[in-house]
């Protein structure tokens, strides 16, 4: 309780200081949210590059009023800086490659000097807007699902979830059922169960599961091996003092208090605008169950954030109200543009559902199909009297190919229904998406890397504040 109060007090004081500064130089905190591999790091890198060099941003209406854009030291001295230059060089150089999965949080501040519009323009001179962006491992986002659960609730929830992935979880589930949890605590036994649990989470994730906590078990960062990460869920039963079950429960609480809550408090508190990235194509490829898992995970995350109002997470860590939220289906360059409307329609249907379950009151939302870094070009070919839209690019194994990615279904509700039923296959057969590598040497003077609709995303997220 005292910890919570102290948090609230420091947040309050910060708010005042920031409030005074904001009169002169407004700051916009952009939350780039998404499960692991959804495309956060690529999005952040390409957005920044395309705001620094605006040649490919016709959809950003304020683009010609931006007199200068530059990177500045970020406000939080204790968070590593986002390795923007390295990521950009990796993705756009002569032998381009995608960035590695993110293993820790990092932050970047982009500042733009903007000429105001209208009559005041000549009088007041240019203004500066700072945009702060945070990058983090997507796995850690899943922890919103454990913050409001007690040890017993959490254990019951994850054990029930793991029952649904028997191939992945059998060794752990057997061990958890056999454990002498009311007996005296023993560190090697705790470590053994924790290791089996971490393996089960990893295997279930590889099979398409999303709602798996704690996120740090999938990606420990610098906490690997610490007691806060050495616990596992156990079936209900007695928990006498000093028992294995009592100590596991204590460590779970320590994880919530010392790891999960500070992460959300420090990084999600003052978010003004959110972009939620979804690898819808990846989930389609993995099948109905993966799509349902993704929809469920996004719904949970949004319910915690309750973007329009302050949700339960806000009462816990002091979130600010987010007034705009963009949902983006990433990697749209895998499809010919004729299919983009269908990708967006599938995303629309998923989000509509999340919206009806989360409370969006007061937050403006939008959906887009985009590619942060366009790795393909398009071509049309005559085939049997019809024209087929192909995408051409280099696969990650180096082969140059022209592919017909096929058509997405026109009726998203049939897809979502198959997902909700837990069908093993899609009604119209499987979707295949090949992994393209970024195209070599894509940077031109005055322009950022090639993209699809990143300018529209920027317009929605930042346009009114420029
Ligand atoms: N073709 C294409 N692939 C993309 C694009 N953006 C991301 N990808 C693919 O998606 C992968 C994951 O992208 P990241 O930006 O690293 O994902 P992330 O959300 O930062 O993932 P974590 O750091 O693990 O949470 C990349 O390695 C690419 O293979 C895109 O615009 N086009
Ligand atoms: Mg990343």
């Amino acid at each position: 309780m005292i910890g919570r109060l102290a948090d609230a007090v420091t947040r309050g004081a910060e708010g005042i200081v920031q409030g005074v500064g904001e009169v002169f130089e407004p700051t916009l905190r952009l939350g780039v949210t998404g499960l692991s591999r959804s495309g956060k790091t690529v999005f952040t890198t390409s957005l920044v590059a395309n705001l620094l060099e605006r040649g490919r941003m016709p959809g950003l209406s304020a683009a010609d009023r931006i007199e200068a854009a530059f990177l500045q030291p970020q406000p939080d001295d204790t968070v590593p800086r986002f390795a923007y230059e390295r990521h950009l060089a990796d993705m756009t150089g002569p032998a381009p490659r995608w960035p590695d999965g993110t293993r820790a949080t990092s932050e970047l501040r982009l500042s733009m000097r903007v000429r105001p519009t209208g009559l005041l323009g000549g009088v007041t001179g240019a203004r500066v807007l700072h945009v702060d962006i945070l990058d983090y491992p997507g796995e850690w986002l899943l922890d919103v699902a454990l913050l409001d659960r007690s040890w017993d609730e959490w254990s019951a929830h994850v054990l029930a979830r793991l029952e649904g992935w028997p191939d992945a979880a059998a060794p752990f589930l057997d061990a958890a059922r056999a454990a002498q949890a009311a007996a005296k605590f023993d560190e090697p036994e705790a470590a053994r169960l924790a290791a089996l649990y971490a393996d089960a989470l990893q295997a279930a994730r590889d099979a398409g599961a999303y709602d798996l906590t704690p996120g740090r078990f999938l990606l420990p960062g610098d906490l690997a091996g610490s007691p806060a990460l050495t616990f596992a869920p156990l079936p209900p039963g007695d928990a006498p003092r000093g028992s294995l079950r009592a100590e596991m429960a204590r460590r779970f609480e320590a994880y919530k208090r010392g790891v999960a809550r500070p992460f959300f408090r420090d990084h999600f508190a003052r978010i003004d605008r959110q972009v939620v990235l979804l690898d819808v194509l990846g989930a389609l490829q993995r099948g109905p169950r993966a799509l349902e898992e993704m929809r469920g995970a996004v719904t949970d995350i949004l319910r915690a954030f309750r973007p329009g109002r302050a949700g339960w997470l806000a009462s816990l860590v002091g979130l600010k109200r987010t007034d705009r939220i963009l949902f983006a289906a990433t990697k749209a360059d895998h499809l010919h543009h004729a299919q983009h409307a269908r990708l967006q329609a599938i995303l629309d249907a998923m989000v509509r559902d999340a919206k009806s379950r989360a409370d969006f009151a007061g937050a403006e939302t939008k959906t887009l199909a985009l590619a942060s870094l366009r790795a393909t070009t398009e071509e049309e070919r005559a085939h049997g009297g019809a024209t087929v839209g192909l995408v051409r690019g280099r696969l990650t194994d180096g082969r140059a190919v022209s592919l017909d990615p096929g058509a997405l279904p026109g009726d998203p509700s049939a897809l979502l229904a198959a997902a909700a039923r837990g069908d093993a296959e899609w009604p119209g057969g499987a979707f295949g998406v090949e992994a393209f590598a970024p195209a070599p040497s894509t940077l031109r003077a005055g322009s950022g890397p090639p993209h699809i609709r990143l300018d529209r995303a920027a317009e929605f997220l930042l346009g009114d504040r420029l």
Side-chain angles (χ1 to χ4, degrees):
M1 190 59 205
I2 290 179
R4 219 183 272 182
L5 272 179
D7 281 352
V9 172
T10 33
R11 290 283 133 196
E14 247 180 49
I16 294 166
V17 175
Q18 208 194 4
V20 173
E22 270 180 11
V23 176
F24 305 102
E25 297 201 337
T27 305
L28 186 145
R29 269 179 91 89
L30 177 62
V32 181
T33 297
L35 299 168
S36 67
R37 311 278 79 202
S38 58
K40 298 179 294 298
T41 302
V42 176
F43 177 89
T44 301
T45 306
S46 186
L47 179 68
V48 168
N50 277 292
L51 287 171
L52 287 171
E53 303 278 356
R54 294 166 300 282
R56 294 192 208 254
M57 297 295 267
L60 180 64
S61 55
D64 15 309
R65 286 189 290 107
I66 300 175
E67 292 180 344
F70 42 95
L71 296 176
Q72 289 229 83
Q74 68 209 38
D76 299 313
D77 290 327
T78 52
V79 180
R81 181 176 176 282
F82 179 70
Y84 163 73
E85 293 81 2
R86 194 186 52 180
H87 292 317
L88 185 69
D90 278 353
M91 294 181 338
T92 58
R97 59 180 203 92
W98 298 110
D100 294 331
T102 304
R103 311 195 67 80
T105 48
S106 63
E107 192 181 67
L108 191 70
R109 168 168 281 194
L110 169 75
S111 301
M112 287 174 276
R113 203 165 62 235
V114 194
R115 216 170 340 106
T117 44
L119 273 179
L120 280 179
V123 185
T124 55
R127 294 182 301 113
V128 173
L129 174 71
H130 303 296
V131 179
D132 291 338
I133 314 181
L134 178 86
D135 192 32
Y136 57 91
E139 285 87 350
W140 297 359
L141 193 62
L142 299 169
D143 282 348
V144 288
L146 64 67
L147 274 181
D148 65 335
R149 291 199 164 112
S150 68
W151 152 259
D152 288 323
E153 290 164 348
W154 174 76
S155 278
H157 175 77
V158 291
L159 289 171
R161 295 265 326 163
L162 285 179
E163 307 266 351
W165 304 89
D167 293 345
F172 167 71
L173 288 174
D174 292 346
R177 284 189 206 106
Q180 303 288 315
K184 193 168 170 309
F185 169 77
D186 170 52
E187 185 68 47
E189 173 67 352
R192 183 183 73 94
L193 287 165
L196 283 169
Y197 182 58
D199 290 347
L201 290 188
Q202 191 72 51
R205 203 219 1 201
D206 293 346
Y210 278 111
D211 169 22
L212 295 169
T213 52
R216 290 289 196 299
F217 277 48
L218 292 163
L219 201 114
D222 51 9
L223 287 175
S226 62
L229 257 56
T230 312
F231 63 92
L234 291 170
D238 292 341
R241 264 182 85 170
S243 65
L244 178 67
R245 188 177 278 112
E247 176 64 10
M248 292 292 212
R250 196 194 64 74
R251 290 180 179 190
F252 170 77
E253 292 299 333
Y255 179 87
K256 277 196 336 197
R257 194 176 54 242
V259 181
R261 190 188 295 170
F263 172 66
F264 289 100
R265 181 196 57 210
D266 296 346
H267 301 305
F268 289 80
R270 290 158 283 138
I271 300 273
D272 299 289
R273 302 277 159 94
Q274 278 275 7
V275 48
V276 179
L277 303 178
L278 293 136
D279 181 11
V280 176
L281 285 172
L284 283 173
Q285 176 168 31
R286 288 201 275 169
R289 204 167 171 196
L291 192 73
E292 180 62 13
E293 285 279 320
M294 176 184 279
R295 193 198 54 70
V298 169
T299 306
D300 277 357
I301 290 163
L302 290 173
R303 204 188 283 150
F305 285 129
R306 279 180 95 196
R309 286 178 200 160
W312 62 260
L313 195 59
S315 58
L316 212 58
V317 304
L319 293 190
K320 179 170 165 176
R321 183 178 169 284
T322 300
D323 64 347
R324 281 194 184 186
I325 171 160
L326 173 70
F327 295 90
T330 50
K331 317 180 193 180
D333 57 325
H334 283 107
L335 302 173
H336 189 267
H337 73 266
Q339 296 293 321
H340 289 176
R342 290 187 168 187
L343 179 59
Q344 189 181 335
I346 296 170
L347 176 67
D348 272 332
M350 286 176 71
V351 170
R352 205 174 310 126
D353 197 64
K355 258 172 141 171
S356 69
R357 288 161 202 244
D359 182 352
F360 278 52
E364 198 183 329
T365 63
K366 182 181 173 69
T367 54
L368 267 184
L370 59 79
S372 312
L373 183 74
R374 183 175 188 165
T376 63
T377 53
E378 297 188 345
E379 71 187 45
E380 280 77 36
R381 250 189 234 164
H383 183 77
T387 315
V388 194
L390 305 180
V391 290
R392 187 172 50 204
R394 206 168 45 84
L395 299 182
T396 38
D397 64 11
R399 278 182 299 148
V401 291
S402 286
L403 297 174
D404 172 8
L408 292 175
D411 175 14
S413 57
L415 276 185
L416 290 194
R421 279 196 307 271
D423 288 3
E425 302 284 339
W426 294 116
F431 298 100
V433 188
E434 296 284 350
F436 286 98
S441 309
T442 42
L443 283 188
R444 312 264 173 278
S447 299
H451 63 80
I452 299 172
R453 293 188 202 94
L454 198 60
D455 51 343
R456 304 252 307 273
E459 175 70 16
F460 179 73
L461 292 168
L462 317 171
D464 62 319
R465 299 286 294 270
L466 288 167

